[in-house]
Every structure is written in structure tokens, then in C-alpha cells.
Amino acid sequence: MKVAIAADHGGFDLKEALKKKLSTVEWVDLGTHNGDSVDYPDFGAALARRVAAGEFQRGVLICGSGIGISIAANKIKGIRAALCHNAYTAEMARKHNDANIIAMGGRVVDENTAATMTEIFLSTDFEGGRHARRVEKIQALE
Ligand code: RB5
């Protein structure tokens, strides 16, 4: 699975740590590439557009809190970016919401939690059934 990852300066350190921890994932790093201050909507939208276009099956977005970059990504049609904080929310993001992007806060979660959440997010299938009807209702809002 080809996975895109991007962050702003608030998520840069966690992005680098995550790539090292999950070295078997086929990462495509869309930046930012250093700790200089940047604007999270630029990185959230750029990654989300490429996920929505089908270039990547999943994406990982990180800013300081995870909030801004997830809000930006969710403006792109076809994107369901889930702001996750632990293993449970990462699992539900896939099983119930069919999220295609996981967002997290570089100032919120530690490296181990981030790696666990990402592993779960990349390996868990959507349950469908009653959840499919609800996701279709989200799509109808777009
Ligand atoms: C940048 O300081 C910070 O505002 C950003 O990383 C993010 O937390 C916004 O939601």
C-alpha cells in the first residue's frame, strides 16, 4: 500500500519518527522537510487532493494539534480525515467511518502511540453494513 504522509512544522518531528518506526510502509513524504514555520492548510490540502485522486489509498497528516490539518483535508471532496488520539479512535476511524486519512497532533501523541495508531489505521478494514449507509450520508453532504 502506497501511503502519503505530510506535516507542518508542529508535526515535522513526529513525521520523521513515524517513518523510521514504520520502516516497512511505502511512504511518500509530501513535506514539510524541516522545522521552519509553514501553513498547515497547504500540506493538508495537497495530500488530501492526491488521496482523493486515487494516487494514494491512505494518508497520514500531522500538525501541532492535528486539528487544523484535519479540517483542511476534510474540505476536499472524497476525503474523510479522522483526528485520532489512541488505538481505539484509529480502529473506529476505519471500521465505522471508512476514513482515508488519519490525522494526529505532534504535540499531543507520543511516537509509540502514533505508530500504533498508524499500524491499526493501515491494517483495519471498513465494516460496511449499517456504517456504509452513514458514510453514504456524509458523501451526500459534499
Ligand atoms: C502551528 O503552531 C499550529 O497552529 C498547527 O500546527 C496546528 O496545531 C493547527 O491546528
Side-chain angles (χ1 to χ4, degrees):
M1 186 189 291
K2 242 170 99 181
V3 184
I5 188 167
D8 75 352
H9 55 287
F12 172 71
D13 288 343
L14 184 58
K15 172 169 72 67
E16 297 307 305
L18 205 47
K19 286 190 300 178
K20 283 196 196 100
K21 270 187 174 292
L22 303 182
S23 55
T24 56
V25 174
E26 203 183 328
W27 296 110
V28 177
D29 187 345
L30 303 180
T32 187
H33 298 295
N34 58 53
D36 294 349
S37 182
V38 291
D39 297 335
Y40 59 80
D42 297 338
F43 292 87
L47 181 145
R49 286 198 178 96
R50 293 174 72 171
V51 170
E55 192 180 338
F56 304 105
Q57 287 166 274
R58 304 272 165 80
V60 178
L61 286 174
I62 314 171
C63 67
S65 63
I67 296 170
I69 208 158
S70 59
I71 292 173
N74 278 314
K75 296 295 180 189
I76 305 300
K77 192 174 189 302
I79 291 303
R80 287 179 298 284
L83 176 55
C84 295
H85 299 95
N86 50 35
Y88 176 75
T89 51
E91 185 183 347
M92 289 305 111
R94 288 293 310 136
K95 281 187 172 172
H96 288 192
N97 310 115
D98 199 17
N100 43 18
I101 291 176
I102 184 170
M104 62 188 80
R107 299 168 186 157
V108 178
V109 294
D110 62 27
E111 292 176 14
N112 290 333
T113 305
T116 301
M117 292 195 308
T118 304
E119 275 177 336
I120 290 169
F121 187 76
L122 297 180
S123 62
T124 303
D125 289 331
F126 179 47
E127 275 183 356
R130 68 187 187 282
H131 304 296
R133 181 182 72 243
R134 294 161 185 165
V135 170
E136 281 162 19
K137 288 189 176 186
I138 293 173
Q139 289 167 330
L141 297 171
E142 291 180 328

